[in-house]
Amino acid sequence: GQQVMQIPQYQHVQEGEDFTTYCNSSTTLSNIQWYKQRPGGHPVFLIQLVKSGEVKKQKRLTFQFGEAKKNSSLHITATQTTDVGTYFCAGSGGSNYKLTFGKGTLLTVNP
Amino acid sequence: GAGVSQSPSNKVTEKGKDVELRCDPISGHTALYWYRQSLGQGLEFLIYFQGNSAPDKSGLPSDRFSAERTGGSVSTLTIQRTQQEDSAVYLCASIPGTGVGNGYTFGSGTRLTVV
């Protein structure tokens, strides 16, 4: 079945440093979504990417979808303590009714 | 309701007992999902409902797990003869239609601990 791998598993940064997490799928995706889960909380939807090579920005967050629609990345510029949490990518295949989640990247930020 | 509501928020049960977890999705959302999140792990798909039917229950780990949805609204996930490996956070999510395009809205989850 479809597998979504995410690296790194953990990332610790100093406040103000940049952060990137990468997501790779074993199969071509119809779309990819990103979620953020704060410590003790539940995943919250951030964004969806659909088109090959698509780039979207949300303030300090930049999301990319690869040309082959099998990989994606989330980049945070100048991290802040409020960015702490686990970032999950989740992909949907041809059926488009179900998401397969990566295991997430836990980001901690040292103030 | 305004969001996805799950109950109980925490459940401690003895090994071998049955448990029922409840999910009340956003009003009007036709699709409902159950996922399981073990400590430090990603989200594992369990079952998908569209209305009252479950076209995909491929993620249920064993026949001890079952789920139903009534009235196109509330769903119950039942785990029979619980085992310690069932300990996890069980998350419910809903979306308005048939495609995942608008993203899942998750509930706060039920933390199940089997002792």
Side-chain angles (χ1 to χ4, degrees):
Chain A
Q2 184 176 63
Q3 290 187 327
V4 175
M5 278 70 71
Q6 203 172 340
I7 57 169
Q9 190 174 0
Y10 306 99
Q11 184 77 60
H12 178 74
V13 300
Q14 290 292 127
E15 189 172 20
E17 292 182 337
D18 292 356
F19 159 78
T20 305
T21 174
Y22 301 90
C23 184
N24 286 284
S25 170
S26 58
T27 59
T28 301
L29 300 170
S30 59
N31 61 63
I32 194 153
Q33 298 183 0
W34 287 90
Y35 291 77
K36 177 182 179 181
Q37 183 175 27
R38 295 182 184 275
H42 56 274
V44 174
F45 174 71
L46 294 177
I47 206 163
Q48 173 177 259
L49 303 169
V50 177
K51 299 176 184 176
S52 170
E54 189 170 13
V55 178
K56 286 188 176 180
K57 292 192 175 186
Q58 288 180 349
K59 298 182 179 178
R60 294 178 294 103
L61 278 61
T62 302
F63 303 85
Q64 292 188 330
F65 201 9
E67 294 290 340
K69 300 184 74 173
K70 294 180 75 173
N71 57 73
S72 181
S73 65
L74 158 59
H75 179 83
I76 302 178
T77 303
T79 54
Q80 300 176 357
T81 55
T82 52
D83 296 325
V84 164
T86 301
Y87 292 85
F88 292 98
C89 63
S92 178
S95 64
N96 200 37
Y97 70 83
K98 177 174 78 177
L99 291 172
T100 300
F101 283 78
K103 291 193 173 184
T105 296
L106 173 60
L107 171 66
T108 56
V109 180
N110 199 29
Chain B
V4 178
S5 178
Q6 290 189 246
S7 61
S9 55
N10 281 284
K11 177 71 176 180
V12 180
T13 190
E14 292 181 350
K15 177 181 173 182
K17 293 285 179 68
D18 297 353
V19 294
E20 283 190 353
L21 312 180
R22 175 188 167 103
C23 172
D24 197 347
I26 292 174
S27 179
H29 280 199
T30 58
L32 184 149
Y33 303 81
W34 285 97
Y35 280 78
R36 178 168 74 173
Q37 184 174 28
S38 301
L39 188 62
Q41 298 297 307
L43 280 70
E44 175 190 12
F45 168 80
L46 297 178
I47 189 168
Y48 158 65
F49 286 94
Q50 184 58 242
N52 290 337
S53 64
D56 187 348
K57 52 180 78 172
S58 62
L60 294 178
S62 72
D63 58 9
R64 297 186 296 104
F65 288 73
S66 63
E68 65 174 11
R69 189 179 183 194
T70 56
S73 181
V74 172
S75 176
T76 303
L77 176 68
T78 301
I79 308 174
Q80 295 179 312
R81 303 180 304 281
T82 51
Q83 303 294 312
Q84 287 185 331
E85 61 262 28
D86 300 334
S87 295
V89 176
Y90 289 81
L91 290 162
C92 176
S94 69
I95 60 173
T98 56
V100 299
N102 294 321
Y104 289 173
T105 300
F106 282 94
S108 297
T110 294
R111 181 176 299 278
L112 176 66
T113 305
V114 182
V115 296

